[in-house]
Amino acid sequence: MPSLDELTAALRRFAADRDWQQFHDPKNLAMLLASEAGELVAQYRWVRGDEADARSREPVARARIAAEVADVGIALLLLCDRIGLDLTQAIADKLAHNAARYPVEQSRGRADRPK
Amino acid sequence: MPSLDELTAALRRFAADRDWQQFHDPKNLAMLLASEAGELVAQYRWVRGDEADARSREPVARARIAAEVADVGIALLLLCDRIGLDLTQAIADKLAHNAARYPVEQSRGRADRPK
Amino acid sequence: MPSLDELTAALRRFAADRDWQQFHDPKNLAMLLASEAGELVAQYRWVRGDEADARSREPVARARIAAEVADVGIALLLLCDRIGLDLTQAIADKLAHNAARYPVEQSRGRADRPK
Amino acid sequence: MPSLDELTAALRRFAADRDWQQFHDPKNLAMLLASEAGELVAQYRWVRGDEADARSREPVARARIAAEVADVGIALLLLCDRIGLDLTQAIADKLAHNAARYPVEQSRGRADRPK
């Protein structure tokens, strides 16, 4: 399995081979990510919440979902690479922040947590 | 630096501690991802494209961008974990697909590549 | 009740008073719209589909939803005004297009309509 | 030109003819809107900000943009109809709210207005 660093290197090479870095400023990459997120959400928009797990296992739907998940991941890695941000470190930092923000006792079973 | 697997395990524990898995069906997680992508795009909406790199280095903006990038990453990892999808494999597969779809010669320097 | 034209005029004045037209190129307004759509989707992300109607009637949630709907509408009107597009005409045209694309007989009760 | 009320009536009939109201709970319609907003943002993601006005006038791009704008508008009208919200009133209310929130003097020419 490739590591995130290897994938990032491959993505960088892919863009360089096509002279696409000129389009990949952080603003454009944020837009790319938003449009890919929109395509992912489209996969589930007519699916009932209680059928969404089963749908995610159906081969045809799964292939489409995997492709959209990958597109989001690619946009995210391209953005992180462009702005020099370590994705795993950012996630670890945010997780620590969230642990303080959503104390276990007050948050348990509550969908109405703020934000 | 934590690995994606370690982060995924931490995210799973975080949700379990708060009894939040009940909210985390794939449909809801896709919505979470879309809303977090919206917050990330908001960081750049009034920034000029040719100033977006510099903006991404300013400490205050950078902290906000890093937090939004992390939120998107968290939503993506939660979704992958829920549906049993390996994110790095999905990205590697998509990258191979894209290499065939956007041949170097025809794609070079062209922003109008399809999709 | 104000008409769309009156609202558009008010929005244009609002931006002009604040010298904000400089930020309102179509690209930025599309990003504004995407970020506001993300905030709207956030209102429903932890709500069950079969409870979403009831939620939309609860006063506190309703006020938030109305505000997000309005933000999306404002972004849409600003964009239409900027690019000189008549929103109602565009919708009427698309509706005619959709009627041909989704024939009643083949589309009835099917969530799997393409797109 | 059709009014918003007429368009809403046509949309309602369109969905009823296809027995699609079953899919149109507010949660799903918010997702529809987010995915359509993603498609609209995709139209501008590789366009420079200072070329976005010109791009919006090119016939082929314009037709695509108009179609995506319409899709966003349709999703918004469907949602408003479903939850019994008057879109123009909501926008007027928000505009009044924004006028208080962004005083002219303090907001003039500032992209860094909060949110």
Side-chain angles (χ1 to χ4, degrees):
Chain A
M1 211 71 81
S3 70
L4 280 192
D5 283 349
E6 289 164 341
L7 286 174
T8 295
L11 288 168
R12 196 189 290 187
R13 209 160 43 236
F14 187 92
D17 285 347
R18 286 157 186 78
D19 196 18
W20 282 359
Q21 310 103 314
Q22 59 181 310
F23 306 118
H24 288 184
D25 68 57
K27 181 182 178 97
N28 287 3
L29 292 175
M31 294 180 86
L32 175 65
L33 198 151
S35 66
E36 301 298 1
E39 294 193 39
L40 180 56
V41 105
Q43 301 303 317
Y44 289 105
R45 65 187 161 188
W46 308 130
V47 181
R48 290 167 47 111
D50 56 8
E51 293 174 353
D53 287 297
R55 173 63 58 92
S56 308
R57 287 189 296 267
E58 291 170 16
V60 175
R62 187 173 186 79
R64 254 189 261 130
I65 291 163
E68 301 303 349
V69 161
D71 280 337
V72 172
I74 286 170
L76 197 60
L77 289 179
L78 283 171
L79 176 59
C80 286
D81 188 42
R82 176 74 177 218
I83 67 176
L85 189 70
D86 185 276
L87 177 60
T88 56
Q89 188 58 57
I91 291 176
D93 291 347
K94 195 67 197 309
L95 199 44
H97 175 83
N98 285 350
R101 188 172 168 200
Y102 303 111
V104 168
E105 288 315 314
Q106 292 93 308
S107 309
R108 185 169 291 139
R110 299 186 54 164
D112 64 345
R113 71 252 207 187
K115 245 266 305 153
Chain B
M1 211 70 81
S3 69
L4 281 193
D5 283 350
E6 288 164 340
L7 286 174
T8 296
L11 288 168
R12 197 189 290 187
R13 207 159 45 235
F14 187 92
D17 285 347
R18 287 158 185 78
D19 196 18
W20 282 358
Q21 309 104 313
Q22 58 181 310
F23 306 118
H24 288 184
D25 68 57
K27 181 182 177 99
N28 287 3
L29 291 175
M31 293 180 87
L32 175 65
L33 198 152
S35 66
E36 301 297 1
E39 293 193 39
L40 179 57
V41 105
Q43 301 303 317
Y44 289 105
R45 64 187 161 186
W46 308 130
V47 181
R48 290 167 48 109
D50 55 9
E51 293 174 354
D53 287 297
R55 174 62 58 93
S56 308
R57 287 188 295 267
E58 290 170 16
V60 175
R62 186 173 186 80
R64 256 189 259 129
I65 291 163
E68 302 303 350
V69 161
D71 280 337
V72 172
I74 287 171
L76 197 61
L77 289 179
L78 284 170
L79 177 59
C80 287
D81 189 41
R82 176 74 177 220
I83 67 176
L85 189 70
D86 185 276
L87 177 60
T88 56
Q89 188 59 57
I91 291 176
D93 291 347
K94 194 68 196 310
L95 199 44
H97 175 82
N98 285 350
R101 188 172 168 199
Y102 302 110
V104 168
E105 288 314 315
Q106 291 93 308
S107 309
R108 186 170 290 139
R110 299 185 53 163
D112 63 346
R113 70 250 207 189
K115 247 265 304 153
Chain C
M1 213 71 82
S3 70
L4 281 192
D5 284 348
E6 288 164 341
L7 287 173
T8 296
L11 288 167
R12 196 188 291 186
R13 210 160 41 236
F14 188 92
D17 285 348
R18 286 158 185 78
D19 196 18
W20 282 358
Q21 308 103 314
Q22 59 181 312
F23 307 119
H24 288 183
D25 68 56
K27 181 181 177 100
N28 287 3
L29 291 175
M31 294 180 85
L32 175 65
L33 199 151
S35 67
E36 302 297 2
E39 293 193 40
L40 180 56
V41 104
Q43 301 303 316
Y44 289 105
R45 64 188 162 186
W46 308 130
V47 181
R48 291 168 46 111
D50 56 7
E51 292 173 353
D53 287 297
R55 173 63 58 93
S56 309
R57 287 189 295 266
E58 291 170 15
V60 175
R62 186 172 187 81
R64 255 189 260 130
I65 292 163
E68 301 303 350
V69 161
D71 280 338
V72 172
I74 286 171
L76 196 60
L77 289 179
L78 283 171
L79 176 59
C80 286
D81 189 41
R82 177 74 176 219
I83 67 176
L85 189 71
D86 185 276
L87 177 60
T88 57
Q89 188 59 56
I91 292 176
D93 291 347
K94 195 68 197 309
L95 199 45
H97 175 83
N98 285 350
R101 190 174 168 198
Y102 303 111
V104 168
E105 289 314 315
Q106 291 93 309
S107 309
R108 186 169 291 140
R110 299 185 55 164
D112 64 346
R113 72 253 207 187
K115 248 263 306 153
Chain D
M1 213 72 82
S3 70
L4 281 192
D5 284 349
E6 288 164 341
L7 286 174
T8 296
L11 288 167
R12 195 188 292 185
R13 210 160 42 236
F14 188 93
D17 285 347
R18 287 156 185 78
D19 197 17
W20 282 358
Q21 310 103 313
Q22 60 182 310
F23 306 118
H24 288 184
D25 67 57
K27 181 181 176 100
N28 287 3
L29 291 175
M31 294 180 85
L32 174 65
L33 199 152
S35 66
E36 301 297 1
E39 294 193 39
L40 180 56
V41 105
Q43 301 303 316
Y44 290 104
R45 64 188 161 186
W46 308 128
V47 181
R48 291 168 47 110
D50 56 7
E51 293 173 354
D53 287 297
R55 172 63 57 94
S56 308
R57 287 189 295 267
E58 291 171 14
V60 175
R62 186 172 186 82
R64 255 190 259 129
I65 292 164
E68 302 303 349
V69 161
D71 280 338
V72 172
I74 286 171
L76 196 60
L77 289 180
L78 284 171
L79 176 59
C80 286
D81 188 42
R82 176 74 177 219
I83 67 177
L85 189 71
D86 184 276
L87 177 60
T88 56
Q89 188 59 56
I91 291 175
D93 291 348
K94 194 70 197 310
L95 199 45
H97 175 83
N98 286 350
R101 189 173 169 199
Y102 303 111
V104 168
E105 289 314 315
Q106 291 92 308
S107 309
R108 186 168 291 139
R110 299 186 53 164
D112 64 345
R113 71 253 206 188
K115 244 272 299 160

